[in-house]
Amino acid sequence: MNEGLGLASALVAGVLLGGFFFGGLWWTVRKAVSSRQPALWFLGSMLLRTGIVLSGFYFVSGGDWKRLLAGLLGFIIARLVVTRLTRAAQQPGQLAQKASHAP
């Protein structure tokens, strides 16, 4: 029972880390597009997000490969959720404009 609780908490932590990582990426892209120095935004964001997520996985795994795997599964689940939510946040007019430029 104790192992199952550890795996479930690792899964939840992976979802939170993934939400932070991919939500932060989405936020960075939106801010950097209108910035005068987008490279600085992207570089700083990448270093910050990657450092926090790697540290989070280190503490979540606790040296156990099963917990690390559960955290990675949660990270992938968060990627799917954030991708779906950010795609739904786009306005339909923007999608139509992008589609009209396709060959």
Side-chain angles (χ1 to χ4, degrees), residues 43-102:
L43 182 64
S45 173
M46 180 193 66
L47 291 174
L48 180 69
R49 288 181 293 115
T50 303
I52 290 173
V53 168
L54 285 177
S55 299
F57 276 128
Y58 176 77
F59 289 114
V60 164
S61 71
D64 184 19
W65 67 270
K66 294 176 190 174
R67 290 180 58 147
L68 180 62
L69 195 60
L72 289 173
L73 178 64
F75 192 81
I76 292 169
I77 290 170
R79 178 186 177 264
L80 297 173
V81 170
V82 170
T83 302
R84 184 162 299 214
L85 289 175
T86 55
R87 190 175 297 156
Q90 285 184 338
Q91 298 169 349
Q94 290 176 340
L95 292 176
Q97 284 179 335
K98 289 180 183 178
S100 67
H101 293 295

